[in-house]
């Protein structure tokens, strides 16, 4: 399944695209994840299905509300036995993960191959 692209255009604060790799939805996130893009991000996540890898390499900033959405999706995945991983997370753009201590708990991987090997 390929979901529609979301947030294209020169003024878009957030661009979301997806593809499928080994039966898992890979969502590439580019831009800002904050209060102004929370609803757009939440809507896109809700369309993703159960097995998800979020590629956050293109994130320029993340706030606690966006992190809350990610944590909720992760917890829902755990409860249902689904696959979930985050790749490309950069400290400088996602400090909130480390400040809250969630970086030590969330399934973070450097690359797509690392994530697929761990959760596949």
């Amino acid at each position: 399944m390929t979901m529609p692209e979301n947030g294209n255009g020169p003024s878009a604060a957030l661009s979301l695209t997806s593809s499928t790799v080994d039966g898992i939805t890979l969502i590439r996130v580019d831009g800002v994840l904050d209060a102004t893009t929370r609803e757009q991000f939440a809507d896109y996540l809700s369309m993703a299905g159960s097995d998800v890898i979020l590629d956050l390499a293109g994130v320029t900033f993340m706030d606690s509300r966006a992190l809350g959405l990610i944590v909720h999706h992760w917890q829902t995945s755990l409860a249902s036995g689904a696959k979930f991983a985050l790749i490309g997370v950069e400290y400088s753009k996602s400090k909130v993960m480390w400040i809250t201590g969630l970086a030590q708990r969330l399934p973070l991987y450097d690359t797509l191959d690392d994530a697929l090997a761990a959760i596949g």
Side-chain angles (χ1 to χ4, degrees):
M1 170 183 95
T2 299
M3 294 186 307
E5 292 189 13
N6 190 337
N8 291 330
S11 63
L14 182 63
S15 174
L16 302 163
T17 55
S18 69
S19 59
T20 303
V21 179
D22 293 349
I24 300 170
T25 301
L26 172 64
I27 299 174
R28 180 171 171 81
V29 183
D30 291 298
V32 176
L33 286 175
D34 67 4
T36 65
T37 59
R38 183 185 188 285
E39 189 173 324
Q40 177 186 353
F41 186 48
D43 290 347
Y44 206 82
L45 278 177
S46 71
M47 294 188 309
S50 55
D51 296 333
V52 173
I53 296 174
L54 289 176
D55 181 351
L56 302 179
V59 169
T60 56
F61 173 79
M62 178 188 301
D63 74 2
S64 60
R65 291 179 187 189
L67 180 58
L69 283 173
I70 291 170
V71 169
H72 175 74
H73 203 83
W74 169 58
Q75 290 173 331
T76 302
S77 296
L78 283 177
S80 68
K83 299 172 183 177
F84 183 85
L86 303 170
I87 61 173
V89 179
E90 295 181 34
Y91 172 80
S92 63
K93 298 170 185 172
S94 305
K95 290 178 186 175
V96 68
M97 276 193 201
W98 280 264
I99 292 168
T100 59
L102 287 166
Q104 289 75 36
R105 300 197 53 190
L106 288 165
L108 302 177
Y109 301 95
D110 291 331
T111 68
L112 178 58
D113 287 341
D114 292 344
L116 289 171
I119 69 171

